[in-house]
Amino acid sequence: VSGVGLISDPRRSPTDVQVGPVVGGAGAGGPRVGGFGFLSDRVRTICAAGDLYCSTEDTDYVTRFAGFLAQASGASAANLWRYQLEAGSIIGDLMAHGGVAALQSQLTDDANQQRVEQLEHFYQSGTHTSYGSYSVGGGQTAISWMHNWIAGMA
């Protein structure tokens, strides 16, 4: 494997090598437990500012749990170990940042209303579908940069 390119990775980690403007947080599904292993130095990711698929606050446990449940919805017994690690990672982070009280604070009426407004803004913005025109610098869009990077390895 020469390289792996990901655009709007819902499992993006803050430690992944980002191309273009650096965004905070992680993917909505939370970072991959163990990252990309021995491939980590050959992985590049692009995430547009404001794309909630790949840039969600690390402490947004409601989104992290929802992302985890979506990924595990087609669960297979062969991946049970991975689901256990991922659920343990979310729960461990939650407990380190206030536990059940922190989760409850994210489920209040006001917090839910803010989440609705944030999602409405995100869906209306078109950010997630803008990678064909999203500039990563040097006159390149996310798509052209990724194409050129991969083609350069051929």
Side-chain angles (χ1 to χ4, degrees):
V1 175
S2 297
V4 176
L6 300 159
I7 295 177
S8 187
D9 179 16
R11 301 297 309 276
R12 187 183 67 79
S13 168
T15 61
D16 291 345
V17 178
Q18 291 185 53
V19 175
V22 176
V23 297
R32 287 172 188 80
V33 175
F36 289 99
F38 69 92
L39 293 175
S40 292
D41 64 335
R42 292 171 262 173
V43 175
R44 300 295 180 270
T45 185
I46 298 174
C47 178
D51 186 343
L52 296 180
Y53 284 103
C54 56
S55 179
T56 298
E57 290 298 320
D58 301 3
T59 56
D60 183 348
Y61 298 106
V62 171
T63 298
R64 286 183 66 187
F65 277 118
F68 169 74
L69 291 173
Q71 291 171 33
S73 65
S76 71
N79 289 322
L80 185 58
W81 65 273
R82 185 170 55 91
Y83 304 135
Q84 290 173 324
L85 287 174
E86 291 171 1
S89 174
I90 296 169
I91 292 168
D93 288 350
L94 173 63
M95 294 313 218
H97 292 97
V100 174
L103 185 59
Q104 286 174 324
S105 73
Q106 293 181 14
L107 294 170
T108 65
D109 288 341
D110 286 343
N112 286 332
Q113 182 59 41
Q114 286 179 340
R115 186 175 311 283
V116 166
E117 291 170 8
Q118 179 187 35
L119 289 171
E120 285 176 349
H121 174 74
F122 169 63
Y123 293 138
Q124 293 170 359
S125 73
T127 301
H128 183 68
T129 59
S130 71
Y131 288 96
S133 60
Y134 181 72
S135 175
V136 295
Q140 296 188 83
T141 67
I143 303 297
S144 65
W145 186 93
M146 197 65 71
H147 173 270
N148 293 336
W149 182 63
I150 292 169
M153 291 182 239

